[in-house]
């Protein structure tokens, strides 16, 4: 029998600074409570996505994670040329997130605010 209460997972939250002209590496680790401690979730069969969102929630930048494996890590490498277009001169802040999806299930692995610096 299941005890009464709320079932929820904590989602990693971190604010990040992105630097124009360099490779920015953003990653999160997904772990689950196994009852006697936390263990990484195997992400091998998941699709992971990194997104930068505008203040209104629209997607300004999106790319698949470059690495996601059995250690629970999902990592995106944002290339140096990512923020060189003129439109990025007016895009300085917003929110970010990394999600993992599989079989119709989408999990938010990490999120926070971002700021772009020259």
């Amino acid at each position: 029998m299941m005890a009464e209460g709320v079932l929820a997972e904590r989602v990693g939250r971190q604010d990040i600074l992105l630097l124009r002209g360099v490779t920015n590496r953003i990653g999160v680790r997904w772990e689950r409570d196994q009852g006697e401690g936390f263990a990484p979730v195997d992400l091998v069969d998941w699709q992971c996505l990194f997104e930068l969102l505008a203040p209104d929630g629209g997607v300004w930048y999106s790319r698949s994670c470059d690495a996601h494996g059995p250690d629970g890590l999902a990592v995106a490498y944002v290339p140096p040329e990512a923020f060189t277009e003129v439109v990025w001169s007016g895009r300085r802040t917003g929110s970010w997130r990394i999600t993992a999806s599989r079989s119709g299930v989408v999990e938010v692995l990490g999120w926070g605010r971002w700021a772009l610096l020259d």
Side-chain angles (χ1 to χ4, degrees), residues 5-6 8 16 29 59 83 90 97 99:
V6 176
I16 59 175
R29 181 184 305 270
V59 177
F83 310 120
R97 67 181 170 210
T99 57

Side-chain angles (χ1 to χ4, degrees), residues 9-16 26-31 38 72 96-99 107-113:
E9 291 184 46
R10 287 197 291 172
V11 174
R13 184 190 187 293
Q14 180 69 48
D15 296 340
I16 59 175
I26 299 95
V28 297
R29 181 184 305 270
W30 186 11
E31 295 180 326
F38 288 86
W96 69 272
R97 67 181 170 210
I98 293 180
T99 57
E107 299 278 353
V108 176
L109 304 186
W111 70 281
R113 305 285 301 158

Side-chain angles (χ1 to χ4, degrees), residues 21-43:
V22 301
T23 300
N24 291 275
R25 181 177 180 256
I26 299 95
V28 297
R29 181 184 305 270
W30 186 11
E31 295 180 326
R32 283 199 172 139
D33 188 350
Q34 302 298 317
E36 294 186 21
F38 288 86
V41 175
D42 185 345
L43 291 172

Side-chain angles (χ1 to χ4, degrees), residues 33-76:
D33 188 350
Q34 302 298 317
E36 294 186 21
F38 288 86
V41 175
D42 185 345
L43 291 172
V44 170
D45 295 329
W46 293 75
Q47 288 73 48
C48 296
L49 183 67
F50 170 72
E51 295 174 301
L52 295 178
L53 308 172
D56 67 2
V59 177
W60 275 345
Y61 182 84
S62 177
R63 69 178 285 122
S64 295
C65 290
D66 298 283
H68 51 93
D71 58 1
L73 283 173
V75 180

